[in-house]
Structure formats: C-alpha cells, structure tokens
Amino acid sequence: MVDSEQVLGCKAPMGLVLVLLLSSLLGPLGQAQAQDCEKPMRYTMSLTGEHIQKEHFPNGLVVTFECATGYRSTGGSGKTTCAAGTWTTSTLSCEKFNCGSLELVNGHVEYSEGTSFGSVATFSCKDGYILSGREKLTCGNTEWLGRTPTCSVVKCDSPPSVDKAEGPSPKRDLYDFASVVRYKCQKDYTINGSASLKCSSNGKFTPNPPTCLMVRCKAPYIPNGSQKSGARPPYVHRSLVEYECNPGFKMEGEGVMTCQLNSTWSSTPECKVPPVDPTISPVLPVDPTSSPVLPVDPTSSPVLPVDPTSSPVLPVDPTSSPVLPVDPTSSPVLPVDPTSSPVLPVDPTSSPVLPVDPTSSPVLPVDPTSSPVLPVDPTSSPGDSKTSSQFLWFLVLVPIVLAVAIGLTLKKRGSQSLRAPVPLEEDKIL
C-alpha cells in the first residue's frame, strides 16, 4: 500500500487517498491505465532540481516550484503532484522584486515601469551640470544592475584675450557654470559685440569674444543743405547730427544721422526742389522794374483768347491814352511833330494841298474857267460876296483844326502802335 503522505509530502485529501488505494488494489491493471503529465507552467514560478529539463512526467510524480527570477515568495508551498495527467494545485505565492527608488543630486530620474524588476531608470542632470557614469540602469533580481551616476558642475576654460582691450576679468584658469567675464576697450576704441561673456552648459563661453574698433565718420555733405544741430568733429561712434535744407528745397530721407560702427552715417538725405502741383498755375519771378499786375475785377468782361499768330501786346503806359485797335487796311501813321503843320491823308487823285498859314486868308483852288475871286469886304452885308467868303473860311479851317487834333493824338499813340511806321513818298506830301 502506498503512503499518501509520502507521495505528496503532506497529508493528502480523502479523495486522493481513495484513488491511490484503488490503484494499489488493481495492481498492474491500474498502472497500465494511468496517464502521464505535461511539463507544468507557471508565469511567476520555475521547477527546481532535476525536473527542470524534463518535458513529460509520470503519473504520481511530485515536483517542486520556486519563485522565478525577479520574483519573491510571499508564502505557501511550491510542491505539486501529477495525478492521472493533471497537476495538483500549488499554494506558493510570488510577486515581482522591487529595487526601490534612486536619487540623483542636481539631476532627474525617470522610470519605465516603476522601480520593480525589469524597470529601466534613465538619468539626466540639471542645466549647468554634466552626467558622470551610466545614463540608464535596470532593476535586477535583487537590486539595480549598476552604479548610480553623479552630476558634476560644468567647467569652462578661460576665454581668449582681445586686441586693444582689457580682460577677460576676472582672470582664472577654469570657470564654473554661469560665471561671467568682461572686456573693456582702450581709449579711442569702440567695442563691437558683447562686453560680457557667460560660461554656458556646453562648457564654453558665449557669445563669442568682442573686437575693438577705431570708429571715425567723415563730415556729412548735403548739397543745398546745412547742419542744424548735433555733434562736431571728430565724429565717433554714435555721434549724432541733424541737417536741414536751404529755403526753396525739400528734404528726402531722414535728416537726423548717426555715426555707425562701420564709420558710415545711418542715412544720407537729399535736398531737392519740390515737385510742381499740376493743379496750380506756376508763378513766374516778378521783375521789380516792371509795372505791377493789378487784381482782376471778377465782374468785368473776361482776358479774350490770344491768337498765337498775332503780334505780341506790349505793356501799356498807365499815363498814356488808351490805344485803339488799328485797322490793318489803313495807311500807316507817322509820328507828328507838334511844331509842324498837320498832314492830312492825300487823295492821289486830288490836287496837292499846300500848307496853310493859319494867319493868312484861306486860298481856294481856282477854276481857270471861272471869274477871279476878289477879296471880300468885311463891312459888306450878308448875302453878298462877304457871305460867300465866310463860308469858304469855314470850309478851310474846319479840316485844319481836325487835322491838328488828330495829329497830336496820333503822335502820342504812335509809340504804342504795333505796326512800324512807314515813311510816305515825297511826291505825295507837299
């Protein structure tokens, strides 16, 4: 008879005992009917001893489990028995091993699956610190597999010296992260770049070291303009001047200029004649010796369009008599000498008229076929020959008076005439 306690290593349940007693009574017939068991599989456990490599287990065989790598027992037994092709239940309980959290001074730790078995810890340092050691560690069966890294402060080598400058200051062989050094240019030189450099997290000073420049701008030249205010030569970096245009000129561009690092001015304005507004009539310069232009009376009759083919209109002397339009078909009028006798237009078909002495008696043309005309007696009565004589005097004097008046008028206007005087032929003037 099989001892059930010996087979299982512990007190077996009553059902199992009856099965074993029955199999022992049946003898070889019962053994022929028993079934083997396949290899038992537990996710958190593994077989121990000689049973690790087996794939098939005979009926009634007792095996033992233990917690797998990375897991730890929390109690119970790991033994189980193959009974008719089935493994009995094991009471062993296993859980993942926990490696615990890690600490990194001046740095950070991130975990892929917490701090239990199989989790990966990733390390990084704060800005200004550099990691020394492994960047990642894995939680093993009993602990983290590796040594925890450290974060050490970044160091920068001393930056170079700069020509025509003092510094870097302070002077050291090594500088800690965030340390600052400064440069200062010598007299008459201007710094180009940053005067301060800082030790950065990559172990280098930033930005790049500056340079020292001699800055001199030439005196500005603005045609038709002059300096209004600002600095005087020499023009160094950031010297400021302001220019303005001469009267009659308009500035294009910025009138305030600054001397830049490249020894040039920030702007170059121009003084130009302002453009003419096409909607405004141009105003010509006024000749101070000319007559003033009087304002136009808006109620007067309109200045008519001028025929471009006509002669130009000369300025009118305000003290002279108005000039009447000249009939182009009339004979030219010569200036009249006020001391001379007036000359009337001559009809070429008429007899020549001799100048008349106003103190003398008028002489009428004589008809050769008529009777001679005797002098008239002023004491004679009207209706006689005296009346005829007076009538003749009237006929002679009226044309003379009219001719003198017209001559004087034409003389004053002669200089204003637009047509040049043309001399008369001698045979037409007596």
Side-chain angles (χ1 to χ4, degrees):
M1 183 175 179
V2 181
D3 187 355
S4 60
E5 294 185 0
Q6 182 180 358
V7 174
L8 299 176
C10 61
K11 188 174 181 180
M14 183 60 69
L16 181 57
V17 174
L18 293 176
V19 172
L20 293 177
L21 291 175
L22 181 59
S23 62
S24 63
L25 292 174
L26 293 175
L29 181 59
Q31 292 179 358
Q33 295 177 350
Q35 295 181 0
D36 293 340
C37 293
E38 298 292 335
K39 186 175 181 178
M41 299 296 296
R42 303 288 189 272
Y43 176 72
T44 60
M45 304 175 189
S46 60
L47 295 172
T48 61
E50 59 183 4
H51 303 133
I52 295 177
Q53 302 299 328
K54 290 182 178 182
E55 295 296 331
H56 298 278
F57 300 84
N59 182 51
L61 182 64
V62 178
V63 297
T64 304
F65 282 98
E66 64 181 0
C67 291
T69 302
Y71 290 82
R72 293 205 175 165
S73 175
T74 57
S77 172
K79 290 183 178 183
T80 182
T81 303
C82 178
T86 302
W87 293 100
T88 59
T89 303
S90 169
T91 61
L92 180 63
S93 177
C94 300
E95 65 178 8
K96 268 188 179 183
F97 173 73
N98 193 312
C99 292
S101 59
L102 298 172
E103 183 179 359
L104 181 63
V105 180
N106 296 317
H108 305 279
V109 184
E110 293 184 359
Y111 304 97
S112 62
E113 299 178 9
T115 59
S116 59
F117 172 74
S119 178
V120 177
T122 303
F123 304 94
S124 61
C125 294
K126 296 179 181 178
D127 190 32
Y129 291 84
I130 187 170
L131 187 69
S132 300
R134 296 175 60 180
E135 184 181 359
K136 295 183 179 181
L137 293 179
T138 302
C139 178
N141 186 37
T142 58
E143 61 182 354
W144 290 101
L145 304 179
R147 186 175 179 180
T148 304
T150 59
C151 291
S152 53
V153 66
V154 171
K155 299 286 186 179
C156 290
D157 293 330
S158 179
S161 58
V162 173
D163 187 32
K164 306 298 181 183
E166 301 173 359
S169 178
K171 182 68 174 177
R172 297 175 188 165
D173 294 333
L174 289 176
Y175 297 84
D176 290 340
F177 168 73
S179 296
V180 176
V181 296
R182 292 177 175 81
Y183 293 88
K184 181 181 180 182
C185 289
Q186 298 176 1
K187 185 180 179 181
D188 297 332
Y189 287 86
T190 301
I191 195 165
N192 179 24
S194 177
S196 301
L197 277 65
K198 183 177 181 180
C199 179
S200 61
S201 58
N202 62 0
K204 296 181 180 180
F205 276 98
T206 56
N208 293 328
T211 57
C212 292
L213 304 176
M214 173 72 77
V215 178
R216 290 292 185 272
C217 287
K218 295 181 180 179
Y221 173 67
I222 310 298
N224 301 313
S226 59
Q227 183 172 345
K228 180 180 180 181
S229 62
R232 299 294 178 183
Y235 300 107
V236 298
H237 182 228
R238 295 182 180 176
S239 291
L240 187 144
V241 295
E242 182 179 5
Y243 270 70
E244 62 181 356
C245 291
N246 297 337
F249 294 87
K250 183 178 180 181
M251 180 169 290
E252 292 187 1
E254 181 60 45
V256 178
M257 299 175 285
T258 305
C259 183
Q260 304 177 109
L261 277 173
N262 59 359
S263 296
T264 62
W265 294 102
S266 58
S267 63
T268 52
E270 295 182 89
C271 292
K272 295 184 177 181
V273 177
V276 178
D277 186 351
T279 62
I280 300 177
S281 301
V283 180
L284 300 178
V286 179
D287 183 2
T289 62
S290 65
S291 301
V293 179
L294 299 179
V296 178
D297 182 4
T299 61
S300 63
S301 300
V303 179
L304 297 177
V306 179
D307 182 3
T309 61
S310 64
S311 301
V313 179
L314 299 178
V316 178
D317 183 1
T319 61
S320 66
S321 301
V323 179
L324 299 179
V326 178
D327 181 5
T329 61
S330 64
S331 301
V333 180
L334 297 178
V336 179
D337 183 0
T339 62
S340 65
S341 299
V343 180
L344 298 178
V346 179
D347 181 2
T349 61
S350 64
S351 301
V353 180
L354 297 178
V356 179
D357 184 0
T359 61
S360 65
S361 300
V363 180
L364 299 177
V366 179
D367 182 1
T369 61
S370 65
S371 300
V373 180
L374 297 178
V376 179
D377 184 3
T379 61
S380 62
S381 61
D384 54 9
S385 61
K386 182 177 180 180
T387 303
S388 300
S389 176
Q390 291 176 347
F391 178 73
L392 291 176
W393 273 103
F394 176 79
L395 293 178
V396 174
L397 289 178
V398 168
I400 293 175
V401 172
L402 291 176
V404 171
I406 293 173
L408 292 176
T409 301
L410 293 179
K411 182 179 180 181
K412 292 182 180 181
R413 298 177 182 176
S415 60
Q416 307 293 332
S417 176
L418 298 179
R419 300 178 59 89
V422 180
L424 298 177
E425 296 178 5
E426 291 182 358
D427 59 350
K428 294 182 179 180
I429 302 175
L430 293 180

